[in-house]
Amino acid sequence: MLALQGDFEAHRKALDRAGASAVEVRTASGLEAIDGLILPGGETTTMLKLLGDEKLFEPLAEFGRRRPIFGTCAGAILLATEVSNPPQQCLGLIDIGVERNSYGRQLDSHVARLEPEEAFERAAGPGQVEAVFIRAPRILRTGPGIETYLRHRGDPVLVVQGPYLAATFHPELSDDPRVHRLFLERL
Ligand code: GLN
């Protein structure tokens, strides 16, 4: 997992629960030792600055062209092809357009129980999914290669495209290991 900023510790525990061990990545050479990468939640403006300081943006994009990446919340924003509110740099690895901080103040932070789409149940198993949203982005556009695994009030909140997964919520903050397992299956 990328460990520059944000809630990467929660991902370590979630990976433990899903049966894998996490490695912290802070430099380009750190990418050489791993099979796949989690981009955690946090603040994308800060993450982009730190990625720039570490000269890590290009190596990350290159890593993503050959290995699986799972982005949660801020991580999903980094993976996208278009970002608004405001527009900012992104890796362009998963064909979605996202708007940052899109749920307004009232819904800044909330927990929902989601009824999974059939595609999620087929891949991960049946049953509702708890989703914790924290200053979440909204996925406004999904490209033709995208499969939507979970929706919240009609908006896609977990999307998959080949080796890439993007969640606008924080599966690492719930006990359910199913979403992390979807990532581990891609390694
Ligand atoms: N609001 C953050 C951003 O736009 C994302 C929030 C999160 O990762 N919990 O960068």
Side-chain angles (χ1 to χ4, degrees), residues 40-45 72-75 77 88 100-101 134-137 170:
E43 273 304 317
T44 43
T45 39
T72 59
C73 203
I77 299 171
Q88 63 185 26
R100 293 179 60 202
N101 301 317
I134 304 168
R135 287 168 55 73
H170 290 267

Side-chain angles (χ1 to χ4, degrees), residues 18-41:
S21 58
V23 176
E24 292 179 10
V25 172
R26 294 193 175 82
T27 58
S29 60
L31 291 170
E32 284 157 27
I34 58 170
D35 298 322
L37 185 67
I38 292 183
L39 301 175

Side-chain angles (χ1 to χ4, degrees), residues 42-45 73-74 77 83-86 88 98-108 134-139 168:
E43 273 304 317
T44 43
T45 39
C73 203
I77 299 171
V83 179
S84 59
N85 191 33
Q88 63 185 26
V98 300
E99 179 178 63
R100 293 179 60 202
N101 301 317
S102 186
Y103 288 92
R105 228 182 253 163
Q106 257 173 332
L107 287 180
D108 230 14
I134 304 168
R135 287 168 55 73
R138 190 192 303 257
I139 297 175
T168 61

Side-chain angles (χ1 to χ4, degrees), residues 141-158:
R141 182 190 66 78
T142 54
I146 294 284
E147 260 196 295
T148 297
Y149 273 19
L150 293 170
R151 287 180 190 274
H152 179 40
R153 298 181 186 156
D155 294 323
V157 296
L158 174 65

